[in-house]
Amino acid sequence: MPKSPRGPKRCRPPRHIFPSPRFAAKRRAMTRITPDMAQAHFLPDTVHKRDIFSETISGELEGVPDFPVVLRKLDGVPAYARPIAWALARKEIRALKAVQGIEGCPVLVRADRTGLLRSWTRGTPLQLAKPADAAWYRDAKRLLREMRRAGVTHNDIAKPQNWLRTPEGRAAVIDFQLASVHRRRGQLFRVMAREDLRHLLKQKRAYAPDLLTPSEHRMLAQKALPARIWMATGKRAYNFITRRLMNWSDGEGTEDRIERDGPTLRRALLAHDQIRDLALATYALPAHGVGLYAFVETDLDATALAALTPEPRPELIQPVAALPRHADGSPRMDALSLIAANRLDELAELTAADPALAETIAPIVANRLNLTDRVLRR
């Protein structure tokens, strides 16, 4: 008996086109931004970072309690850097819209001529949290899977500071300036998604190597061909443009400026009767090298202080009313070094259990002179 003709096959939507309307609607439903929040006035609190591409300022929305936000401010960017700054901002805006509703990703509040405003993610950067539990890495993989379903690759999670461990122990990721939103699951998307996962495994190797599986070890050993090409060619061009032409870099340097310039500087300044003490710290210069940061306990203003400072002068000289001190009277170099390097996350951990220290350094932090996020590599 001949078989009856079958009806048309019911096929799934093509895998290469996403996100689906149902998936997108689910993510939008999870987003907490209301029209009132999107229009609320931004109240700035702390400047975290400033470079030629943007200024990063945390704060809150007027009339919106318990919802900290961060502004990537672009209206003060130099004219020569503005095209690149806005290109990066557009990438971030597009990516944040695509990941709305994914737990562990920031929420875009609004974007306008001032810049882009997003939710502030509470958490500890990975280089401080150093997670050693399998649960965090499972959740981080979950986060990458959901981003992949949304067609987003982050492209900058090799940096541990872009991964967070939230107070609940969950994984979160920030800084989507280099992220890509892919319309199709082509070869490029698969390679970039694999590199995101491989960079997560590099963090796992750094902080929990005993948790790596044999297959993860193999993935770490197999860098994708585009990544190898980038390291051999594009990375060099990037370093030349940013470090040589734009005077900006990740801030390597090992020269001990304190030993070389400190004694002369200390003798000259402490000879003045209006200078009570000083503390010296180093920080990464915007281009290659190490900068010297002088915290001077004095009632003099910055102009008068600069006039008293001998050559070679520190790159940054900050007058302070009072230096933070240990019980024996010596300066708290642990806190001052973090301020000089603009490492506010670590500073917050240091002061969490010491309200007196937090109160003493508050005006120093508010008036700090280094607003970059470069790191010294010794």
Side-chain angles (χ1 to χ4, degrees), residues 15 63 90-91 195 213 219 277 289 296 308 317 340 361 372:
R15 289 184 61 202
R90 284 190 292 271
K91 286 177 69 70
E195 283 299 290
T213 66
M219 175 174 273
D277 201 358
V296 184
L308 296 172
I317 308 173
I361 67 171
T372 68

Side-chain angles (χ1 to χ4, degrees), residues 65-144:
D66 301 322
F67 190 75
V69 292
V70 60
L71 172 68
R72 190 182 297 280
K73 194 171 183 292
L74 298 167
D75 56 355
V77 171
Y80 67 87
R82 204 167 294 152
I84 297 177
W86 274 105
L88 293 172
R90 284 190 292 271
K91 286 177 69 70
E92 184 168 14
I93 291 166
R94 189 178 178 212
L96 289 178
K97 287 180 178 179
V99 300
Q100 296 296 280
I102 296 179
E103 185 176 355
C105 291
V107 177
L108 181 65
V109 178
R110 64 170 177 260
D112 53 30
R113 296 181 65 181
T114 302
L116 63 101
L117 189 68
R118 62 168 176 81
S119 62
W120 171 270
T121 305
R122 292 185 174 94
T124 305
L126 215 62
Q127 73 271 20
L128 302 180
K130 299 179 180 178
D133 56 302
W136 187 90
Y137 295 98
R138 283 196 300 269
D139 194 50
K141 284 186 175 180
R142 182 272 315 164
L143 176 53
L144 290 182

Side-chain angles (χ1 to χ4, degrees), residues 33-43 60-64 67 108-112 117:
I33 303 301
T34 65
D36 288 342
M37 293 171 67
Q39 297 173 13
H41 180 61
F42 173 65
L43 303 175
E60 58 185 20
L61 297 175
E62 188 173 26
V64 183
F67 190 75
L108 181 65
V109 178
R110 64 170 177 260
D112 53 30
L117 189 68

